[in-house]
Amino acid sequence: MAHVPQTFFDALAVRTWCGLALESLGRAREEIDAINVYPVADGDTGTNLYLTVESAVAAVEAVFAGHEVESARTGSPSLADTVRAMAHGALIGARGNSGTILAQLLRGMAQVLAADGETAHTDGSALRLALRRAADSAREAVAHPVEGTVLSVASAAADAATGAEGDCGTVARAAYEGARAALAATPSQLAVLERAGVVDAGGRGLVAVLAALVETFTGEAPREVYRGLLGDGGFGGTHAHVGSAEGGAARTREESADGGAPHARVEPGEVGVPLTDLAAGAFPGTDLAPGAFPGGDDHLLVSPVPGRAAGEAVVPAHARGGSAAPGGLDDCADGPADHGGGGGPAFEVIYLLEADDVAVARLRARLDALGDSLVVVGGDGLWNVHVHVDDAGAAVEAGVEAGRPYRIRITHFGLGDVHTTGGERPLRERVQRAVVAVVPGEGLAGLYTEAGATAVLARPGEPPASGELVDAVRRAHAREVVLLPNDPELRHTAAAAAEQARAEGIRVALIPTRSAVQGIAALAVHEPERRFDEDVVSMTSAAGATRYGEVVVAERQSWTMAGICQAGDVLGLIDGDVAVIGSDVTATAETVLDRMIAAGGELVTIVLGDEAPEAIAEHLEARVRESYLAVDTVVYRGGRQGALLLIGVE
């Protein structure tokens, strides 16, 4: 969706860019994960890039929030403060090889854009210099740069920007086009990519970030970034999907709450594989043998490969439990950094490090001797260290000798994550299945908890980050988890959390609930004793059959589907769109309720916020009782949930 373009590169432009980049990576995450074959075919590059940018976004938003509180002004923080926050947030939240390099790209840009701390904004010439510095600093951070990777794409973007004259929009578009062309050329530069029939995953992520930069300054995203990016062949990954290489564009499994089971979008000439068939190991119309995948695993990524016969597929290592895969990637050894076939180092080690420049120089030399894929980014006393090694302990000890390492993360490429608290597994046994749900108020949190779910409290204006959702999944301590985001804005955040949890060996199904009342409906039919797929389908159907509404107070003048509202107006929303604009809370709620029940229903759920009028629940219950036969009503108190009322009709 188009937005108001930014004329200059100022603090607001940084904020807009970060937000759009997060959305862009959210949409492309599964596709990027699916084409991740270098340096390790572990299918997590898209997720790592998303988490890295998510951390940058949080840091930028914190600067804006702090500025408003401290200054009591409506203006924006300085450009320097904002870009430094962006770079710092990416640095401390960087995940994986590509995320670490992206953090250094953003740091390089910040070094140029924040050079004059007093400048409120800058122009296209500074953006050209920032992109050049970004590419050069990222290359310097990698111990042994390899062409055909994100480094090549970044350099091409900087080269193209250097030759562009004009405003920020012109420079950004030139950089994007240069990166896009370089991305298409990566298979010719790196043999492992050519054999797998994919482009570089990290480079693909950078193209998405640059597309967001174009949208920031022009108001429009480049159309071809998601479809047709790689030409007629296409290098798309899908969920629960096997098909021919024909038909091109990336395809993503759609999990919808429309009353039906999660399903795959099927293009001409392809074979859609239902989740129930995955559980049985059946792949009709293909030559994939039953049992080729871990039984019942509903998060397998199956990527069509251009040039291969219909039915052949590439399955990233994390989805196949280390076994050989149809269409194989296990033969893709290309130098010491390619661990897709198990011939390289066994561990990825990442940590933040407080140390001086001299100590870091010694650390680089020592880690380079221990392993490969070494990337050390940062500066000014704080660094992010990433390396692939066989001796994870030695890599951590090297950090201890250099300074103070913390947030240490060790991942075994075949076994998932080991969070270093002694490397010990929890002693208590996992339960078979759990539900994790995001809820908007303390009252609903209690309700969900009583129903057996692990609740993640989302306070108004403070949505949880994916890391919080991953922690909640871990706390649930279950082999199988159903995740209910209960908010359309949390779709990508929840998807990234689910992917991370799957990498740790937890089977996760994400039901895209859009409201807490849809989550209540899903919980009502949850039966842990059923087969996982059957339980997910039943919960998805119940959520999809529940219409959701809410009553809120407008904070500012705005255009809506129901006309122009003013600050202080009472808004009635149905299925996410403003349907009623009124002045009285009770009257507006009654109108919303009538419109929702008019489409049919047997049960009305009302969740009261702290600021809802005292008598409104009784009034609405009486309205249902007197006007609609055989329709029951249940009322809950949600607490500080943001909305005055949440309404569900099922």
Side-chain angles (χ1 to χ4, degrees), residues 321-364:
S323 62
L329 289 180
D330 289 338
D331 59 348
C332 293
D334 188 56
D338 176 28
H339 317 322
F347 297 97
E348 177 185 59
V349 178
I350 304 174
Y351 50 80
L352 293 178
L353 177 70
E354 293 178 356
D356 59 37
D357 291 3
V358 174
V360 169
R362 292 195 298 267
L363 175 66
R364 287 179 190 268

mmCIF file of all heavy atoms in Angstrom, residues 321-364:
data_model
loop_
_atom_site.group_PDB
_atom_site.id
_atom_site.type_symbol
_atom_site.label_atom_id
_atom_site.label_comp_id
_atom_site.label_asym_id
_atom_site.label_seq_id
_atom_site.Cartn_x
_atom_site.Cartn_y
_atom_site.Cartn_z
ATOM 1 N N GLY A 321 15.814 -33.113 8.956
ATOM 2 C CA GLY A 321 16.419 -33.818 10.082
ATOM 3 C C GLY A 321 17.751 -34.440 9.760
ATOM 4 O O GLY A 321 18.145 -35.436 10.324
ATOM 5 N N GLY A 322 18.480 -33.879 8.782
ATOM 6 C CA GLY A 322 19.802 -34.358 8.465
ATOM 7 C C GLY A 322 19.831 -35.491 7.479
ATOM 8 O O GLY A 322 20.884 -35.947 7.080
ATOM 9 N N SER A 323 18.680 -35.991 7.031
ATOM 10 C CA SER A 323 18.659 -37.098 6.092
ATOM 11 C C SER A 323 18.776 -36.598 4.676
ATOM 12 O O SER A 323 18.588 -35.440 4.381
ATOM 13 C CB SER A 323 17.358 -37.883 6.252
ATOM 14 O OG SER A 323 16.260 -37.063 5.955
ATOM 15 N N ALA A 324 19.069 -37.499 3.761
ATOM 16 C CA ALA A 324 19.149 -37.125 2.366
ATOM 17 C C ALA A 324 17.797 -36.697 1.870
ATOM 18 O O ALA A 324 16.780 -37.199 2.287
ATOM 19 C CB ALA A 324 19.655 -38.308 1.538
ATOM 20 N N ALA A 325 17.798 -35.736 0.953
ATOM 21 C CA ALA A 325 16.530 -35.191 0.483
ATOM 22 C C ALA A 325 16.391 -35.382 -0.995
ATOM 23 O O ALA A 325 17.351 -35.395 -1.733
ATOM 24 C CB ALA A 325 16.455 -33.709 0.821
ATOM 25 N N PRO A 326 15.170 -35.531 -1.484
ATOM 26 C CA PRO A 326 14.945 -35.609 -2.912
ATOM 27 C C PRO A 326 15.477 -34.372 -3.599
ATOM 28 O O PRO A 326 15.302 -33.276 -3.135
ATOM 29 C CB PRO A 326 13.406 -35.673 -3.019
ATOM 30 C CG PRO A 326 12.936 -36.127 -1.677
ATOM 31 C CD PRO A 326 13.926 -35.621 -0.712
ATOM 32 N N GLY A 327 16.123 -34.568 -4.718
ATOM 33 C CA GLY A 327 16.664 -33.439 -5.440
ATOM 34 C C GLY A 327 17.944 -32.933 -4.836
ATOM 35 O O GLY A 327 18.527 -31.981 -5.291
ATOM 36 N N GLY A 328 18.452 -33.528 -3.845
ATOM 37 C CA GLY A 328 19.511 -33.317 -2.913
ATOM 38 C C GLY A 328 20.313 -32.038 -2.951
ATOM 39 O O GLY A 328 20.681 -31.541 -3.970
ATOM 40 N N LEU A 329 20.614 -31.559 -1.748
ATOM 41 C CA LEU A 329 21.582 -30.495 -1.576
ATOM 42 C C LEU A 329 22.829 -31.053 -0.910
ATOM 43 O O LEU A 329 23.786 -30.338 -0.726
ATOM 44 C CB LEU A 329 21.003 -29.392 -0.678
ATOM 45 C CG LEU A 329 19.906 -28.542 -1.292
ATOM 46 C CD1 LEU A 329 19.456 -27.507 -0.278
ATOM 47 C CD2 LEU A 329 20.381 -27.866 -2.539
ATOM 48 N N ASP A 330 22.785 -32.302 -0.534
ATOM 49 C CA ASP A 330 23.895 -32.839 0.240
ATOM 50 C C ASP A 330 25.162 -32.984 -0.581
ATOM 51 O O ASP A 330 26.230 -33.214 -0.037
ATOM 52 C CB ASP A 330 23.519 -34.212 0.831
ATOM 53 C CG ASP A 330 22.506 -34.067 1.949
ATOM 54 O OD1 ASP A 330 22.434 -32.957 2.519
ATOM 55 O OD2 ASP A 330 21.801 -35.038 2.236
ATOM 56 N N ASP A 331 25.057 -32.843 -1.897
ATOM 57 C CA ASP A 331 26.251 -32.953 -2.723
ATOM 58 C C ASP A 331 26.803 -31.588 -3.078
ATOM 59 O O ASP A 331 27.659 -31.460 -3.921
ATOM 60 C CB ASP A 331 25.937 -33.734 -4.017
ATOM 61 C CG ASP A 331 24.836 -33.067 -4.827
ATOM 62 O OD1 ASP A 331 24.186 -32.152 -4.287
ATOM 63 O OD2 ASP A 331 24.629 -33.475 -5.990
ATOM 64 N N CYS A 332 26.291 -30.532 -2.427
ATOM 65 C CA CYS A 332 26.672 -29.175 -2.797
ATOM 66 C C CYS A 332 27.817 -28.681 -1.940
ATOM 67 O O CYS A 332 27.693 -27.693 -1.230
ATOM 68 C CB CYS A 332 25.480 -28.228 -2.673
ATOM 69 S SG CYS A 332 24.189 -28.596 -3.877
ATOM 70 N N ALA A 333 28.944 -29.327 -1.955
ATOM 71 C CA ALA A 333 30.099 -28.846 -1.213
ATOM 72 C C ALA A 333 30.884 -27.902 -2.101
ATOM 73 O O ALA A 333 31.221 -28.232 -3.222
ATOM 74 C CB ALA A 333 30.973 -30.026 -0.787
ATOM 75 N N ASP A 334 31.172 -26.721 -1.584
ATOM 76 C CA ASP A 334 31.873 -25.733 -2.391
ATOM 77 C C ASP A 334 32.818 -24.955 -1.509
ATOM 78 O O ASP A 334 32.623 -23.798 -1.214
ATOM 79 C CB ASP A 334 30.869 -24.786 -3.060
ATOM 80 C CG ASP A 334 31.550 -23.874 -4.072
ATOM 81 O OD1 ASP A 334 32.194 -24.396 -4.973
ATOM 82 O OD2 ASP A 334 31.416 -22.643 -3.919
ATOM 83 N N GLY A 335 33.887 -25.615 -1.099
ATOM 84 C CA GLY A 335 34.824 -24.913 -0.258
ATOM 85 C C GLY A 335 34.484 -25.076 1.207
ATOM 86 O O GLY A 335 33.481 -25.640 1.586
ATOM 87 N N PRO A 336 35.342 -24.563 2.068
ATOM 88 C CA PRO A 336 35.208 -24.788 3.506
ATOM 89 C C PRO A 336 33.976 -24.196 4.139
ATOM 90 O O PRO A 336 33.573 -24.597 5.211
ATOM 91 C CB PRO A 336 36.481 -24.126 4.068
ATOM 92 C CG PRO A 336 36.881 -23.125 3.036
ATOM 93 C CD PRO A 336 36.504 -23.742 1.733
ATOM 94 N N ALA A 337 33.367 -23.184 3.505
ATOM 95 C CA ALA A 337 32.219 -22.543 4.142
ATOM 96 C C ALA A 337 30.905 -23.218 3.835
ATOM 97 O O ALA A 337 29.891 -22.847 4.372
ATOM 98 C CB ALA A 337 32.137 -21.078 3.718
ATOM 99 N N ASP A 338 30.889 -24.203 2.951
ATOM 100 C CA ASP A 338 29.619 -24.827 2.572
ATOM 101 C C ASP A 338 29.389 -26.071 3.399
ATOM 102 O O ASP A 338 29.995 -27.096 3.176
ATOM 103 C CB ASP A 338 29.648 -25.179 1.079
ATOM 104 C CG ASP A 338 28.395 -25.919 0.662
ATOM 105 O OD1 ASP A 338 27.356 -25.688 1.304
ATOM 106 O OD2 ASP A 338 28.464 -26.709 -0.284
ATOM 107 N N HIS A 339 28.496 -25.976 4.379
ATOM 108 C CA HIS A 339 28.255 -27.093 5.286
ATOM 109 C C HIS A 339 26.974 -27.818 4.971
ATOM 110 O O HIS A 339 26.485 -28.582 5.792
ATOM 111 C CB HIS A 339 28.216 -26.577 6.736
ATOM 112 C CG HIS A 339 29.281 -25.600 7.034
ATOM 113 N ND1 HIS A 339 30.550 -25.691 6.535
ATOM 114 C CD2 HIS A 339 29.271 -24.458 7.781
ATOM 115 C CE1 HIS A 339 31.279 -24.674 6.973
ATOM 116 N NE2 HIS A 339 30.523 -23.905 7.714
ATOM 117 N N GLY A 340 26.400 -27.555 3.819
ATOM 118 C CA GLY A 340 25.129 -28.182 3.514
ATOM 119 C C GLY A 340 25.202 -29.676 3.519
ATOM 120 O O GLY A 340 24.245 -30.367 3.807
ATOM 121 N N GLY A 341 26.362 -30.255 3.212
ATOM 122 C CA GLY A 341 26.458 -31.691 3.187
ATOM 123 C C GLY A 341 27.084 -32.281 4.412
ATOM 124 O O GLY A 341 27.425 -33.439 4.452
ATOM 125 N N GLY A 342 27.287 -31.469 5.440
ATOM 126 C CA GLY A 342 27.809 -31.991 6.692
ATOM 127 C C GLY A 342 29.311 -32.092 6.716
ATOM 128 O O GLY A 342 29.889 -32.660 7.628
ATOM 129 N N GLY A 343 30.031 -31.524 5.686
ATOM 130 C CA GLY A 343 31.471 -31.657 5.640
ATOM 131 C C GLY A 343 32.214 -30.539 6.328
ATOM 132 O O GLY A 343 33.433 -30.558 6.381
ATOM 133 N N GLY A 344 31.541 -29.528 6.853
ATOM 134 C CA GLY A 344 32.198 -28.381 7.458
ATOM 135 C C GLY A 344 32.033 -28.381 8.961
ATOM 136 O O GLY A 344 31.621 -29.365 9.564
ATOM 137 N N PRO A 345 32.361 -27.241 9.587
ATOM 138 C CA PRO A 345 32.210 -27.123 11.034
ATOM 139 C C PRO A 345 30.798 -27.441 11.504
ATOM 140 O O PRO A 345 29.824 -27.215 10.798
ATOM 141 C CB PRO A 345 32.572 -25.652 11.297
ATOM 142 C CG PRO A 345 33.499 -25.288 10.181
ATOM 143 C CD PRO A 345 32.980 -26.036 8.990
ATOM 144 N N ALA A 346 30.701 -27.927 12.727
ATOM 145 C CA ALA A 346 29.425 -28.421 13.234
ATOM 146 C C ALA A 346 28.598 -27.355 13.940
ATOM 147 O O ALA A 346 27.393 -27.521 14.094
ATOM 148 C CB ALA A 346 29.673 -29.580 14.202
ATOM 149 N N PHE A 347 29.236 -26.255 14.383
ATOM 150 C CA PHE A 347 28.530 -25.282 15.211
ATOM 151 C C PHE A 347 28.613 -23.868 14.640
ATOM 152 O O PHE A 347 29.627 -23.477 14.068
ATOM 153 C CB PHE A 347 29.110 -25.253 16.632
ATOM 154 C CG PHE A 347 28.954 -26.539 17.389
ATOM 155 C CD1 PHE A 347 29.993 -27.456 17.436
ATOM 156 C CD2 PHE A 347 27.769 -26.834 18.050
ATOM 157 C CE1 PHE A 347 29.859 -28.643 18.137
ATOM 158 C CE2 PHE A 347 27.627 -28.022 18.750
ATOM 159 C CZ PHE A 347 28.669 -28.927 18.794
ATOM 160 N N GLU A 348 27.532 -23.144 14.839
ATOM 161 C CA GLU A 348 27.541 -21.696 14.627
ATOM 162 C C GLU A 348 27.584 -21.052 16.002
ATOM 163 O O GLU A 348 26.775 -21.370 16.869
ATOM 164 C CB GLU A 348 26.284 -21.245 13.888
ATOM 165 C CG GLU A 348 26.205 -19.728 13.705
ATOM 166 C CD GLU A 348 24.885 -19.295 13.074
ATOM 167 O OE1 GLU A 348 23.826 -19.584 13.680
ATOM 168 O OE2 GLU A 348 24.909 -18.690 11.995
ATOM 169 N N VAL A 349 28.539 -20.152 16.192
ATOM 170 C CA VAL A 349 28.693 -19.458 17.471
ATOM 171 C C VAL A 349 28.512 -17.959 17.231
ATOM 172 O O VAL A 349 29.151 -17.380 16.354
ATOM 173 C CB VAL A 349 30.070 -19.726 18.104
ATOM 174 C CG1 VAL A 349 30.206 -18.953 19.420
ATOM 175 C CG2 VAL A 349 30.274 -21.216 18.334
ATOM 176 N N ILE A 350 27.621 -17.355 17.997
ATOM 177 C CA ILE A 350 27.375 -15.913 17.904
ATOM 178 C C ILE A 350 27.363 -15.339 19.314
ATOM 179 O O ILE A 350 26.789 -15.937 20.223
ATOM 180 C CB ILE A 350 26.017 -15.614 17.232
ATOM 181 C CG1 ILE A 350 25.926 -16.266 15.856
ATOM 182 C CG2 ILE A 350 25.796 -14.113 17.098
ATOM 183 C CD1 ILE A 350 24.559 -16.119 15.203
ATOM 184 N N TYR A 351 28.017 -14.209 19.500
ATOM 185 C CA TYR A 351 27.895 -13.509 20.775
ATOM 186 C C TYR A 351 28.194 -12.029 20.607
ATOM 187 O O TYR A 351 28.847 -11.608 19.639
ATOM 188 C CB TYR A 351 28.798 -14.115 21.854
ATOM 189 C CG TYR A 351 30.251 -14.340 21.506
ATOM 190 C CD1 TYR A 351 31.174 -13.293 21.535
ATOM 191 C CD2 TYR A 351 30.724 -15.612 21.187
ATOM 192 C CE1 TYR A 351 32.522 -13.517 21.248
ATOM 193 C CE2 TYR A 351 32.052 -15.850 20.895
ATOM 194 C CZ TYR A 351 32.953 -14.795 20.923
ATOM 195 O OH TYR A 351 34.276 -15.025 20.630
ATOM 196 N N LEU A 352 27.659 -11.232 21.532
ATOM 197 C CA LEU A 352 28.043 -9.835 21.633
ATOM 198 C C LEU A 352 29.296 -9.761 22.483
ATOM 199 O O LEU A 352 29.475 -10.561 23.415
ATOM 200 C CB LEU A 352 26.927 -9.009 22.261
ATOM 201 C CG LEU A 352 25.640 -8.875 21.442
ATOM 202 C CD1 LEU A 352 24.606 -8.068 22.221
ATOM 203 C CD2 LEU A 352 25.908 -8.244 20.099
ATOM 204 N N LEU A 353 30.141 -8.788 22.176
ATOM 205 C CA LEU A 353 31.433 -8.707 22.865
ATOM 206 C C LEU A 353 31.774 -7.259 23.174
ATOM 207 O O LEU A 353 31.760 -6.404 22.279
ATOM 208 C CB LEU A 353 32.536 -9.316 21.996
ATOM 209 C CG LEU A 353 33.960 -9.232 22.555
ATOM 210 C CD1 LEU A 353 34.118 -10.166 23.757
ATOM 211 C CD2 LEU A 353 34.983 -9.598 21.471
ATOM 212 N N GLU A 354 32.075 -7.000 24.434
ATOM 213 C CA GLU A 354 32.617 -5.706 24.829
ATOM 214 C C GLU A 354 34.132 -5.834 24.872
ATOM 215 O O GLU A 354 34.675 -6.584 25.687
ATOM 216 C CB GLU A 354 32.068 -5.290 26.193
ATOM 217 C CG GLU A 354 30.569 -4.993 26.183
ATOM 218 C CD GLU A 354 30.037 -4.634 27.552
ATOM 219 O OE1 GLU A 354 30.818 -4.692 28.532
ATOM 220 O OE2 GLU A 354 28.846 -4.298 27.669
ATOM 221 N N ALA A 355 34.820 -5.135 23.974
ATOM 222 C CA ALA A 355 36.274 -5.246 23.878
ATOM 223 C C ALA A 355 36.823 -4.066 23.089
ATOM 224 O O ALA A 355 36.094 -3.413 22.338
ATOM 225 C CB ALA A 355 36.673 -6.563 23.205
ATOM 226 N N ASP A 356 38.101 -3.791 23.249
ATOM 227 C CA ASP A 356 38.718 -2.707 22.483
ATOM 228 C C ASP A 356 39.186 -3.216 21.122
ATOM 229 O O ASP A 356 39.195 -4.425 20.850
ATOM 230 C CB ASP A 356 39.868 -2.064 23.261
ATOM 231 C CG ASP A 356 40.972 -3.055 23.617
ATOM 232 O OD1 ASP A 356 41.278 -3.954 22.788
ATOM 233 O OD2 ASP A 356 41.538 -2.932 24.717
ATOM 234 N N ASP A 357 39.597 -2.300 20.259
ATOM 235 C CA ASP A 357 39.950 -2.646 18.882
ATOM 236 C C ASP A 357 41.141 -3.599 18.806
ATOM 237 O O ASP A 357 41.167 -4.508 17.966
ATOM 238 C CB ASP A 357 40.275 -1.372 18.088
ATOM 239 C CG ASP A 357 39.044 -0.507 17.858
ATOM 240 O OD1 ASP A 357 37.965 -0.880 18.359
ATOM 241 O OD2 ASP A 357 39.155 0.529 17.185
ATOM 242 N N VAL A 358 42.120 -3.400 19.672
ATOM 243 C CA VAL A 358 43.319 -4.255 19.634
ATOM 244 C C VAL A 358 42.958 -5.696 19.990
ATOM 245 O O VAL A 358 43.395 -6.658 19.327
ATOM 246 C CB VAL A 358 44.390 -3.711 20.605
ATOM 247 C CG1 VAL A 358 45.577 -4.672 20.667
ATOM 248 C CG2 VAL A 358 44.849 -2.323 20.172
ATOM 249 N N ALA A 359 42.149 -5.861 21.024
ATOM 250 C CA ALA A 359 41.744 -7.209 21.431
ATOM 251 C C ALA A 359 40.915 -7.877 20.342
ATOM 252 O O ALA A 359 41.041 -9.092 20.108
ATOM 253 C CB ALA A 359 40.953 -7.141 22.732
ATOM 254 N N VAL A 360 40.086 -7.115 19.652
ATOM 255 C CA VAL A 360 39.263 -7.685 18.584
ATOM 256 C C VAL A 360 40.118 -8.116 17.410
ATOM 257 O O VAL A 360 39.834 -9.135 16.761
ATOM 258 C CB VAL A 360 38.183 -6.671 18.150
ATOM 259 C CG1 VAL A 360 37.487 -7.129 16.879
ATOM 260 C CG2 VAL A 360 37.158 -6.491 19.264
ATOM 261 N N ALA A 361 41.160 -7.380 17.118
ATOM 262 C CA ALA A 361 42.064 -7.779 16.032
ATOM 263 C C ALA A 361 42.696 -9.137 16.340
ATOM 264 O O ALA A 361 42.805 -10.000 15.459
ATOM 265 C CB ALA A 361 43.143 -6.713 15.838
ATOM 266 N N ARG A 362 43.117 -9.336 17.596
ATOM 267 C CA ARG A 362 43.669 -10.643 17.984
ATOM 268 C C ARG A 362 42.600 -11.723 17.915
ATOM 269 O O ARG A 362 42.865 -12.864 17.505
ATOM 270 C CB ARG A 362 44.256 -10.563 19.399
ATOM 271 C CG ARG A 362 45.498 -9.709 19.529
ATOM 272 C CD ARG A 362 46.209 -9.994 20.853
ATOM 273 N NE ARG A 362 45.361 -9.670 21.994
ATOM 274 C CZ ARG A 362 45.364 -8.500 22.633
ATOM 275 N NH1 ARG A 362 46.173 -7.541 22.229
ATOM 276 N NH2 ARG A 362 44.567 -8.293 23.672
ATOM 277 N N LEU A 363 41.377 -11.366 18.323
ATOM 278 C CA LEU A 363 40.277 -12.334 18.292
ATOM 279 C C LEU A 363 39.993 -12.786 16.860
ATOM 280 O O LEU A 363 39.756 -13.984 16.616
ATOM 281 C CB LEU A 363 39.019 -11.700 18.894
ATOM 282 C CG LEU A 363 37.743 -12.548 18.832
ATOM 283 C CD1 LEU A 363 37.879 -13.786 19.704
ATOM 284 C CD2 LEU A 363 36.534 -11.717 19.258
ATOM 285 N N ARG A 364 40.003 -11.854 15.925
ATOM 286 C CA ARG A 364 39.768 -12.218 14.525
ATOM 287 C C ARG A 364 40.758 -13.285 14.068
ATOM 288 O O ARG A 364 40.379 -14.278 13.434
ATOM 289 C CB ARG A 364 39.906 -10.987 13.628
ATOM 290 C CG ARG A 364 38.794 -9.974 13.707
ATOM 291 C CD ARG A 364 39.110 -8.816 12.767
ATOM 292 N NE ARG A 364 38.218 -7.690 12.932
ATOM 293 C CZ ARG A 364 37.099 -7.514 12.247
ATOM 294 N NH1 ARG A 364 36.746 -8.419 11.349
ATOM 295 N NH2 ARG A 364 36.341 -6.450 12.433
#
